[in-house]
Amino acid sequence: MVGGGGAEGRGKSESEARQERGGSEVVRMATRTIEASDLALLEAAASAVPDPELPVVTLGDLGIVRGVAVADDGAVEVRLTPTFVGCPATEVIAADVRAAVEARLVTLGGAGAGAGAGSGSGAGAGADTSGDAGSTGSAGAVADLAHVEVRTRMEMSPAWSTDWISDDGRRKLAEHGIAPPRGGRASGIVAVTIGRRAGLGEASPLAGASPQPPTPCPRCGSTSTRLISAFGSTPCQSLRACRACGEPFGAMKAL
Protein backbone atom coordinates (compact mmCIF):
# COMPACT_ATOMS: atom_id res chain seq x y z
CA MET A 1 0.00 0.00 0.00
CA VAL A 2 2.85 2.36 0.79
CA GLY A 3 4.53 1.69 -2.54
CA GLY A 4 1.27 2.20 -4.45
CA GLY A 5 0.60 5.49 -2.67
CA GLY A 6 4.08 6.75 -3.51
CA ALA A 7 3.59 5.99 -7.22
CA GLU A 8 0.25 7.80 -7.16
CA GLY A 9 1.81 10.83 -5.53
CA ARG A 10 4.55 11.02 -8.11
CA GLY A 11 1.96 10.73 -10.90
CA LYS A 12 0.02 13.73 -9.58
CA SER A 13 3.18 15.75 -9.24
CA GLU A 14 4.18 15.12 -12.87
CA SER A 15 0.69 15.95 -14.11
CA GLU A 16 0.68 19.24 -12.23
CA ALA A 17 4.14 20.08 -13.53
CA ARG A 18 3.01 19.50 -17.12
CA GLN A 19 0.04 21.83 -16.62
CA GLU A 20 2.26 24.51 -15.16
CA ARG A 21 4.65 24.31 -18.11
CA GLY A 22 1.77 25.02 -20.50
CA GLY A 23 0.55 23.58 -23.81
CA SER A 24 3.77 24.35 -25.69
CA GLU A 25 5.55 21.72 -23.62
CA VAL A 26 3.22 19.06 -25.03
CA VAL A 27 4.70 19.47 -28.49
CA ARG A 28 8.25 19.39 -27.17
CA MET A 29 7.55 16.22 -25.20
CA ALA A 30 6.13 14.64 -28.36
CA THR A 31 9.53 15.10 -29.99
CA ARG A 32 11.02 12.91 -27.26
CA THR A 33 8.29 10.27 -27.20
CA ILE A 34 8.15 9.60 -30.98
CA GLU A 35 10.96 7.17 -31.70
CA ALA A 36 12.39 5.67 -34.89
CA SER A 37 10.06 2.66 -34.66
CA ASP A 38 7.08 5.03 -34.41
CA LEU A 39 8.22 6.94 -37.50
CA ALA A 40 8.37 3.68 -39.44
CA LEU A 41 4.76 2.96 -38.47
CA LEU A 42 3.69 6.48 -39.45
CA GLU A 43 5.41 6.14 -42.83
CA ALA A 44 3.67 2.80 -43.35
CA ALA A 45 0.32 4.49 -42.62
CA ALA A 46 1.05 7.22 -45.17
CA SER A 47 2.25 4.70 -47.74
CA ALA A 48 -0.93 2.64 -47.37
CA VAL A 49 -3.14 5.53 -48.55
CA PRO A 50 -4.73 4.68 -51.94
CA ASP A 51 -3.93 6.96 -54.85
CA PRO A 52 -7.11 9.03 -55.46
CA GLU A 53 -6.83 8.71 -59.26
CA LEU A 54 -5.67 5.08 -59.32
CA PRO A 55 -7.04 3.55 -56.10
CA VAL A 56 -5.84 0.10 -57.16
CA VAL A 57 -2.34 1.20 -56.05
CA THR A 58 -1.15 2.97 -52.92
CA LEU A 59 1.07 5.99 -52.54
CA GLY A 60 3.77 3.60 -51.35
CA ASP A 61 3.40 1.53 -54.52
CA LEU A 62 3.95 4.68 -56.59
CA GLY A 63 6.91 5.84 -54.51
CA ILE A 64 5.29 9.18 -53.69
CA VAL A 65 5.99 9.01 -49.94
CA ARG A 66 9.64 10.01 -49.46
CA GLY A 67 9.91 9.88 -45.68
CA VAL A 68 8.54 10.90 -42.28
CA ALA A 69 10.43 12.88 -39.63
CA VAL A 70 9.87 15.01 -36.55
CA ALA A 71 10.49 18.70 -37.30
CA ASP A 72 12.32 21.08 -34.96
CA ASP A 73 9.00 22.38 -33.59
CA GLY A 74 7.83 18.84 -32.73
CA ALA A 75 5.41 18.41 -35.64
CA VAL A 76 5.38 15.23 -37.70
CA GLU A 77 6.33 16.08 -41.27
CA VAL A 78 5.62 13.77 -44.22
CA ARG A 79 7.63 14.42 -47.38
CA LEU A 80 5.79 13.78 -50.64
CA THR A 81 6.91 13.96 -54.27
CA PRO A 82 4.01 14.40 -56.71
CA THR A 83 4.08 12.48 -59.96
CA PHE A 84 4.33 15.77 -61.84
CA VAL A 85 4.01 19.49 -61.17
CA GLY A 86 0.39 20.57 -61.27
CA CYS A 87 -1.07 17.12 -60.62
CA PRO A 88 -4.76 17.79 -59.80
CA ALA A 89 -4.73 15.14 -57.07
CA THR A 90 -1.89 16.71 -55.06
CA GLU A 91 -4.10 18.47 -52.48
CA VAL A 92 -6.28 15.39 -52.01
CA ILE A 93 -3.20 13.22 -51.51
CA ALA A 94 -1.81 15.61 -48.89
CA ALA A 95 -5.11 15.72 -46.99
CA ASP A 96 -5.51 11.92 -47.06
CA VAL A 97 -1.94 11.44 -45.82
CA ARG A 98 -2.42 13.85 -42.93
CA ALA A 99 -5.63 12.07 -41.90
CA ALA A 100 -3.98 8.64 -42.04
CA VAL A 101 -0.95 9.72 -40.00
CA GLU A 102 -3.11 11.52 -37.42
CA ALA A 103 -5.22 8.38 -37.00
CA ARG A 104 -2.07 6.28 -36.54
CA LEU A 105 -0.77 8.69 -33.91
CA VAL A 106 -3.96 8.21 -31.92
CA THR A 107 -3.54 4.43 -31.96
CA LEU A 108 0.12 4.75 -30.96
CA GLY A 109 -0.94 6.90 -28.02
CA GLY A 110 -3.62 4.38 -27.07
CA ALA A 111 -1.04 1.58 -27.09
CA GLY A 112 1.15 3.63 -24.76
CA ALA A 113 -1.79 4.19 -22.41
CA GLY A 114 -2.48 0.48 -22.24
CA ALA A 115 1.12 -0.27 -21.42
CA GLY A 116 1.15 2.41 -18.71
CA ALA A 117 -2.06 1.15 -17.13
CA GLY A 118 -0.77 -2.41 -17.10
CA SER A 119 2.55 -1.50 -15.55
CA GLY A 120 0.92 0.58 -12.81
CA SER A 121 -1.52 -2.12 -11.62
CA GLY A 122 0.18 -4.09 -8.90
CA ALA A 123 0.77 -4.23 -5.18
CA GLY A 124 3.68 -3.78 -2.84
CA ALA A 125 7.24 -2.95 -3.81
CA GLY A 126 6.89 -4.64 -7.22
CA ALA A 127 4.06 -2.32 -8.22
CA ASP A 128 6.08 0.69 -7.13
CA THR A 129 9.00 -0.25 -9.39
CA SER A 130 6.84 -0.84 -12.47
CA GLY A 131 5.01 2.44 -11.80
CA ASP A 132 8.32 4.28 -12.00
CA ALA A 133 9.04 2.74 -15.41
CA GLY A 134 5.65 3.57 -16.88
CA SER A 135 4.67 6.83 -15.20
CA THR A 136 7.32 8.95 -16.92
CA GLY A 137 6.05 8.50 -20.46
CA SER A 138 2.89 6.44 -20.82
CA ALA A 139 0.08 8.81 -19.80
CA GLY A 140 1.99 11.85 -21.03
CA ALA A 141 2.65 10.18 -24.38
CA VAL A 142 -1.08 9.68 -24.95
CA ALA A 143 -1.87 13.38 -24.60
CA ASP A 144 1.24 14.37 -26.57
CA LEU A 145 0.67 12.06 -29.53
CA ALA A 146 -3.02 12.95 -29.74
CA HIS A 147 -2.15 16.63 -30.17
CA VAL A 148 0.91 16.41 -32.39
CA GLU A 149 0.60 18.51 -35.54
CA VAL A 150 0.88 16.59 -38.80
CA ARG A 151 1.86 18.39 -41.97
CA THR A 152 3.03 17.51 -45.45
CA ARG A 153 5.83 19.02 -47.48
CA MET A 154 6.16 18.71 -51.24
CA GLU A 155 9.67 17.68 -52.20
CA MET A 156 10.21 18.46 -55.89
CA SER A 157 13.85 17.45 -56.20
CA PRO A 158 14.68 14.86 -57.28
CA ALA A 159 11.67 14.76 -59.56
CA TRP A 160 9.38 11.73 -59.36
CA SER A 161 10.20 8.92 -61.76
CA THR A 162 8.26 5.84 -62.83
CA ASP A 163 11.38 3.96 -61.71
CA TRP A 164 10.06 4.51 -58.18
CA ILE A 165 6.97 2.36 -58.80
CA SER A 166 7.40 -0.89 -56.91
CA ASP A 167 7.18 -4.32 -58.50
CA ASP A 168 3.99 -4.92 -56.54
CA GLY A 169 2.58 -1.65 -57.87
CA ARG A 170 3.39 -2.64 -61.45
CA ARG A 171 1.67 -5.97 -60.92
CA LYS A 172 -1.45 -4.26 -59.53
CA LEU A 173 -1.59 -1.87 -62.50
CA ALA A 174 -1.37 -4.73 -65.01
CA GLU A 175 -4.05 -6.73 -63.19
CA HIS A 176 -6.26 -3.65 -63.32
CA GLY A 177 -5.84 -3.37 -67.10
CA ILE A 178 -3.27 -0.55 -67.08
CA ALA A 179 0.07 -1.20 -68.77
CA PRO A 180 2.87 -0.37 -66.30
CA PRO A 181 5.65 1.90 -67.56
CA ARG A 182 8.45 0.25 -69.48
CA GLY A 183 12.05 1.34 -69.50
CA GLY A 184 13.75 3.69 -67.07
CA ARG A 185 14.26 7.40 -66.88
CA ALA A 186 15.67 8.63 -70.18
CA SER A 187 19.18 10.01 -70.33
CA GLY A 188 20.96 11.94 -73.03
CA ILE A 189 18.85 13.00 -76.03
CA VAL A 190 15.12 12.79 -75.40
CA ALA A 191 12.59 12.75 -78.25
CA VAL A 192 9.98 15.49 -77.88
CA THR A 193 7.14 16.07 -80.36
CA ILE A 194 5.91 19.68 -80.67
CA GLY A 195 2.84 20.66 -82.64
CA ARG A 196 0.46 18.51 -84.65
CA ARG A 197 1.45 15.08 -85.89
CA ALA A 198 0.38 13.53 -89.13
CA GLY A 199 -1.94 10.72 -88.06
CA LEU A 200 -1.93 8.91 -84.73
CA GLY A 201 1.29 7.00 -85.13
CA GLU A 202 4.18 7.04 -82.69
CA ALA A 203 6.51 10.02 -82.63
CA SER A 204 9.55 9.59 -84.80
CA PRO A 205 12.65 9.37 -82.59
CA LEU A 206 15.37 11.93 -83.03
CA ALA A 207 18.76 10.80 -84.24
CA GLY A 208 20.70 9.42 -81.28
CA ALA A 209 17.65 9.12 -79.02
CA SER A 210 17.22 5.87 -77.11
CA PRO A 211 14.35 3.81 -78.57
CA GLN A 212 11.49 3.12 -76.20
CA PRO A 213 10.52 -0.54 -75.65
CA PRO A 214 7.13 -1.60 -76.99
CA THR A 215 4.14 -1.33 -74.66
CA PRO A 216 2.51 -4.75 -74.27
CA CYS A 217 -1.24 -5.19 -73.91
CA PRO A 218 -2.08 -5.91 -70.23
CA ARG A 219 -4.92 -8.19 -71.34
CA CYS A 220 -3.33 -10.54 -73.90
CA GLY A 221 0.37 -9.64 -73.64
CA SER A 222 0.81 -8.74 -77.31
CA THR A 223 3.40 -6.04 -78.05
CA SER A 224 1.54 -5.08 -81.23
CA THR A 225 -0.17 -1.99 -79.81
CA ARG A 226 -0.79 1.51 -81.11
CA LEU A 227 -1.22 4.94 -79.57
CA ILE A 228 -4.74 6.40 -79.65
CA SER A 229 -4.22 9.48 -77.49
CA ALA A 230 -1.30 10.98 -75.58
CA PHE A 231 -3.63 11.43 -72.59
CA GLY A 232 -5.85 8.82 -71.01
CA SER A 233 -8.10 8.85 -67.95
CA THR A 234 -5.35 10.67 -66.01
CA PRO A 235 -2.59 12.98 -67.28
CA CYS A 236 0.07 10.41 -66.36
CA GLN A 237 -1.46 7.85 -68.72
CA SER A 238 -1.77 7.51 -72.47
CA LEU A 239 -4.54 5.64 -74.27
CA ARG A 240 -3.52 2.73 -76.48
CA ALA A 241 -5.20 -0.11 -78.35
CA CYS A 242 -4.09 -3.69 -78.96
CA ARG A 243 -3.96 -4.86 -82.56
CA ALA A 244 -4.17 -8.50 -81.48
CA CYS A 245 -7.23 -8.51 -79.20
CA GLY A 246 -8.64 -5.12 -80.24
CA GLU A 247 -9.04 -3.89 -76.66
CA PRO A 248 -8.16 -0.31 -75.67
CA PHE A 249 -6.16 0.18 -72.49
CA GLY A 250 -4.42 2.83 -70.43
CA ALA A 251 -0.64 2.90 -70.22
CA MET A 252 1.46 4.67 -67.62
CA LYS A 253 3.92 7.04 -69.23
CA ALA A 254 7.58 6.35 -68.51
CA LEU A 255 9.18 9.37 -66.84
Side-chain angles (χ1 to χ4, degrees):
M1 293 296 293
V2 175
E8 181 181 357
R10 281 192 294 277
K12 290 181 179 179
S13 175
E14 290 162 1
S15 175
E16 292 170 355
R18 282 196 298 271
Q19 291 176 1
E20 292 174 358
R21 287 193 293 266
S24 60
E25 181 66 11
V26 171
V27 176
R28 288 194 291 273
M29 285 192 66
T31 307
R32 296 194 296 271
T33 57
I34 298 178
E35 301 178 353
S37 57
D38 299 323
L39 292 177
L41 294 174
L42 297 178
E43 183 170 349
S47 298
V49 173
D51 181 81
E53 293 184 325
L54 295 170
V56 67
V57 291
T58 65
L59 302 183
D61 292 330
L62 296 176
I64 292 176
V65 179
R66 305 308 299 158
V68 179
V70 177
D72 292 340
D73 61 356
V76 172
E77 187 174 81
V78 186
R79 293 179 290 112
L80 304 171
T81 298
T83 52
F84 62 93
V85 177
C87 174
T90 299
E91 292 301 321
V92 177
I93 289 173
D96 289 350
V97 165
R98 288 193 296 269
V101 173
E102 287 169 356
R104 193 68 179 93
L105 279 169
V106 171
T107 61
L108 286 175
S119 62
S121 59
D128 184 32
T129 303
S130 61
D132 286 341
S135 62
T136 302
S138 297
V142 178
D144 295 340
L145 293 179
H147 293 86
V148 168
E149 177 190 0
V150 178
R151 57 175 177 249
T152 55
R153 176 166 63 88
M154 294 299 160
E155 193 171 82
M156 310 306 291
S157 180
W160 181 82
S161 169
T162 47
D163 292 344
W164 296 356
I165 301 178
S166 67
D167 291 340
D168 196 37
R170 293 171 187 270
R171 176 188 59 78
K172 293 176 183 178
L173 288 171
E175 291 177 351
H176 193 64
I178 299 174
R182 304 209 19 117
R185 174 173 287 175
S187 60
I189 300 176
V190 179
V192 177
T193 301
I194 301 176
R196 297 178 62 87
R197 292 201 305 250
L200 294 175
E202 302 290 349
S204 300
L206 298 175
S210 302
Q212 292 296 313
T215 302
C217 173
R219 303 183 186 279
C220 69
S222 173
T223 56
S224 180
T225 62
R226 62 185 179 88
L227 180 68
I228 297 177
S229 173
F231 295 97
S233 59
T234 62
C236 59
Q237 295 183 59
S238 60
L239 182 61
R240 304 184 69 89
C242 178
R243 293 187 177 94
C245 68
E247 291 290 333
F249 62 91
M252 286 282 291
K253 300 172 183 176
L255 298 174

